[in-house]
Amino acid sequence: MSEELPDAAGGGFDVVCVPIGDYQWHPSLDADTEAAHVADLFTALGGRAQRWAIPDGQPRTRTVVDGRLLTWAQPGRPRSSVLFWVGHGQANPDGAWLASHETPVVMEAGGVLPEHLAGFITAEWRRRAGDDDAWTIVVIEACGAERFVNLLQSVLLRGVQPPRRFVVIGVGADDGAGNLGEFRQALDAALATYHDGDDTIGLVDLLDQVEDRLLTGTVHRIKPHRLTRLLRPRLLETSMAASMSTYAELRDVAATLSPDERAHFLPKAQGADHLEYGDPPWYFVGRDAERRAIAAWLHVRRTGLLIVTGPPGSGKSALLGHVLVHASRQLRELLVRTGRLAPLSAGEFPDDLRFDAAIHLAGMDTGQAVRGVAAAAGLGEPPAGGTVSRDVEWLLSALSSRGRPLLILADALDEAHDPAPLAGAVLRRLAAVHGVRVVLGTRATATSPGRAAVDLLEALGAQDAAVLTVERDPAAIHEYVRLRLHAARAADLLAADDAAIDAFAAAVQQQGQEFLYARLAVHEAIQNPALLRWDDA
C-alpha cells in the first residue's frame, strides 16, 4: 500500500483500503493490487493512503478486519476519508454478506452483515460530525455488493442521526456478475474527462461521472451538497504552446512519470518553472561537459555514489532534470522530434539507462526516504512496528539480497527534514550496497534555524565518492536570458528589439551571478521593460 502523504490543499483526506484476497474456503483474488490502484487514483487527488499495519502473510480474519475498520472509524482527529473494501461477497433474497478469510462457502453462516459495517460507519460519523467540511465515501466491490449497500443504506437511515456528507457505493451485481476492477475503471475513466488545466474537481460531479460508468452497482448519497472540491495537480507543471496532438502526447508521457518526476525534475529540466508563455517552453542550455561526465560515470560504475554539488542557484537541479529527461527514451524522443531538445551523440548515455527511483528529498524525513526507495525496488513496506533505524537496516539487507541493480536519482538533500542522518545513515550506505548506484544533488552544507551548519559532503563520505561541482557558465546564462526574452516578446508580453534583448542578456551575464539570478532578472524585465535600457539605469 502507498505511503502516507502530507496534507494537500483543502485539508486532504485519508484513503483506507480493506483488500481481502486470501480465503480459507473461497478462491483467491488479487485484491491487494486492485486496492493499490484505487489508492493511487485517490492519492493523485490529495489523498493519504493509510498502510494496513499487519505482518505479511497474516490471514485477514474477521478480528483483523474489525481492527482495520476500528482504526478508520476512530482517527486521532476528524477528517475526510475514503474506505475501499474489495473481496468476495454474496447476496440472495434473504440478505447480503461480505467475506473475511475464514467466512464459510455459505456466507449466511458467518459473513459480515450490513448491520456490522453500519456500526463502524456510525462511529466514524460521530467522530467527524463536528467538522462541517469532513466527508466520507465508502466503496464496496464484491459479488452482491449492490444489494449489500442497499441494505446498509437502509440500516443507516433508520438511525436517530444518520451520517451526513456521506456516500456509499456498491459495485457488483446480486447475481454474482461483475469483474474485479470495475470501480477502478469507472473512476479512472471519470478522471480522464477532466483537462490538465482543471486544478480542482467537484467531488459531487466526479461521483456522478463514476455512477454513469458503472455497469453493475449503485450509489447512495446522504446530504452530499457539502462535499468539497478536490485538488488535482497538473501532469504538466508549466504552460506549453504546442499543437493539441503534441500536447496530448506529452501529457500521456508525463502520466507515466512519478509525482516527483513531474513536479520537480521535469520543470527543472525545462528551465521554465511556472511560466505563462512560450514556444518552445524548453530553455535549458549549456552543461554539456557536466552531462557527459554524468553519462560517463553511469557507463563505468555499477555501484557507488555520484554527488552533484555547487553554489545555490547554480543549476544543479536543472542538470539532474536534464539527465532524467535523457534517461526516459519516450520523453527524450518526443522532445527531440518536436525541436525542444537537441539530439545527443549516439551512445552518450547507456542504452539500458533507466532510473528506478527519482526522489525530491526536500522536506522528507529519513523514514519517508526509506519507504520511497523500498517501493522503487519492489520491496514493499518495512515490517510493522519497527523504528527508523530498524527500517534502514531492513532496507539495506533486502537490497543486498535482491540480486538486481538499482539506480536512484535524488535531489535537494540539503532541503531534507534532517539532512545529516539521511546522508550518513541512508544514502552513503545505500551506495555501498553491491549493484546500487545513487546520483545525488545537494549543496555542500545545510543550515537550519538554531543549528550549526552541517558538512553534507563529509557526511556522505565524499572522499570515497565521485563529486561533480557545477560551476558558473556565463555563456549559458547569456543564451538562457536571450531565449526567455525572445519567447516573452513572441507572446506579446514584452516590447523590445533584438539589440535591447542582447544588451540585457550581456549585462546579466556580467553580474557574476548564478542561473537563479538570471531567472529572476528575466521576470523583472518582463514586469518592468524599462530595465532593458540597462545603460540608462
Side-chain angles (χ1 to χ4, degrees):
M1 194 57 57
S2 304
E3 67 192 52
E4 182 170 339
L5 301 177
D7 282 357
F13 58 97
D14 287 350
V15 182
V16 178
C17 294
V18 186
I20 306 175
D22 180 62
Y23 298 87
Q24 186 175 359
W25 305 107
H26 300 275
S28 296
L29 297 171
D30 195 4
D32 283 334
T33 298
E34 191 60 37
H37 288 323
V38 169
D40 286 344
L41 291 174
F42 279 117
T43 54
L45 297 173
R48 304 167 295 241
Q50 304 297 310
R51 184 167 62 96
W52 197 348
I54 57 175
D56 291 340
Q58 177 175 335
R60 292 167 190 183
T61 62
R62 178 73 165 269
T63 300
V64 172
V65 171
D66 281 357
R68 176 69 159 165
L69 294 173
L70 185 61
T71 300
W72 166 75
Q74 297 183 344
R77 56 177 175 79
R79 50 63 174 121
S80 301
S81 69
V82 173
L83 177 70
F84 178 62
W85 179 309
V86 57
H88 280 301
Q90 282 181 4
N92 61 36
D94 295 324
W97 305 265
L98 300 176
S100 55
H101 171 77
E102 76 280 25
T103 299
V105 173
V106 180
M107 293 189 189
E108 290 101 320
V112 177
L113 290 165
E115 289 82 358
H116 185 73
L117 183 57
F120 291 102
I121 292 173
T122 300
E124 192 275 340
W125 161 242
R126 289 172 180 162
R127 183 73 181 90
R128 66 179 171 87
D131 186 336
D132 291 339
D133 296 321
W135 48 265
T136 291
I137 299 172
V138 173
V139 182
I140 309 293
E141 183 159 14
C143 291
E146 183 172 2
R147 178 156 173 74
F148 186 93
V149 301
N150 287 339
L151 294 171
L152 175 63
Q153 178 79 343
S154 176
V155 173
L156 293 171
L157 290 176
R158 289 201 304 266
V160 176
Q161 291 185 329
R164 297 187 178 188
R165 303 183 300 280
F166 174 77
V167 178
V168 59
I169 303 172
V171 184
D174 300 347
D175 59 4
N179 298 312
L180 192 67
E182 186 178 345
F183 175 75
R184 183 234 323 146
Q185 293 166 8
L187 178 59
D188 194 23
L191 290 172
T193 65
Y194 296 95
H195 300 291
D196 198 41
D198 294 327
D199 294 325
T200 62
I201 292 176
L203 189 50
V204 172
D205 179 68
L206 177 63
L207 292 171
D208 288 342
Q209 296 212 43
V210 168
E211 184 174 17
D212 288 343
R213 288 165 172 79
L214 291 176
L215 300 177
T216 61
T218 189
V219 178
H220 293 293
R221 304 166 174 85
I222 305 179
K223 299 291 185 180
H225 59 278
R226 292 296 302 275
L227 298 185
T228 186
R229 299 186 66 83
L230 300 179
L231 176 70
R232 183 175 180 266
R234 294 186 177 191
L235 289 173
L236 298 174
E237 292 292 322
T238 57
S239 300
M240 173 167 290
S243 67
M244 289 299 294
S245 60
T246 299
Y247 186 87
E249 188 175 358
L250 183 56
R251 186 181 183 279
D252 288 344
V253 174
T256 67
L257 304 177
S258 71
D260 277 359
E261 288 172 324
R262 289 196 302 267
H264 177 69
F265 290 98
L266 186 56
K268 293 298 183 182
Q270 288 179 260
D273 295 320
H274 296 273
L275 296 180
E276 303 83 15
Y277 63 90
D279 184 16
W282 219 271
Y283 303 101
F284 186 94
V285 290
R287 301 303 183 202
D288 295 336
E290 292 88 344
R291 185 193 66 240
R292 286 193 290 266
I294 294 174
W297 186 87
L298 291 169
H299 267 293
V300 300
R301 295 303 300 265
R302 293 294 175 264
T303 299
L305 173 64
L306 170 60
I307 304 170
V308 177
T309 189
S314 58
K316 300 180 294 295
S317 296
L319 174 61
L320 294 180
H322 187 58
V323 170
L324 177 72
V325 167
H326 283 285
S328 173
R329 183 183 61 81
Q330 188 179 8
L331 179 58
R332 179 185 69 242
E333 291 178 352
L334 172 62
L335 294 173
V336 169
R337 188 173 73 248
T338 57
R340 290 174 170 81
L341 198 65
L344 302 184
S345 301
E348 178 171 320
F349 283 96
D351 292 336
D352 60 349
L353 178 63
R354 181 180 66 83
F355 286 103
D356 298 289
I359 304 173
H360 186 206
L361 296 171
M364 189 174 288
D365 61 31
T366 302
Q368 290 172 320
V370 167
R371 292 195 296 273
V373 172
L379 301 174
E381 292 279 350
T387 62
V388 172
S389 297
R390 290 179 181 175
D391 288 350
V392 172
E393 298 305 323
W394 166 83
L395 174 64
L396 296 171
S397 175
L399 287 175
S400 297
S401 59
R402 180 171 175 261
R404 299 196 306 278
L406 183 71
L407 179 57
I408 300 169
L409 179 66
D411 190 27
L413 169 64
D414 52 289
E415 300 176 38
H417 178 70
D418 204 350
L422 182 53
V426 180
L427 295 170
R428 181 177 182 174
R429 298 176 67 195
L430 269 178
V433 175
H434 180 70
V436 176
R437 292 177 292 173
V438 180
V439 179
L440 172 68
T442 184
R443 297 182 188 179
T445 59
T447 58
S448 58
R451 297 185 183 181
V454 176
D455 187 334
L456 293 179
L457 298 187
E458 180 180 350
L460 288 165
Q463 67 275 10
D464 300 318
V467 179
L468 174 64
T469 301
V470 178
E471 305 285 358
R472 184 172 179 273
D473 188 342
I477 288 174
H478 181 282
E479 180 64 8
Y480 171 79
V481 174
R482 194 186 66 81
L483 286 173
R484 289 280 302 274
L485 293 180
H486 274 282
R489 185 177 66 182
D492 293 328
L493 297 175
L494 182 69
D497 59 22
D498 288 352
I501 289 176
D502 289 343
F504 184 81
V508 173
Q509 175 188 14
Q510 293 165 10
Q511 296 303 301
Q513 300 288 337
E514 302 292 346
F515 264 101
L516 177 61
Y517 174 85
R519 181 172 69 84
L520 296 175
V522 167
H523 280 287
E524 289 296 323
I526 294 170
Q527 296 298 318
N528 182 11
L531 292 174
L532 269 69
R533 297 189 295 273
W534 195 279
D535 293 337
D536 297 336

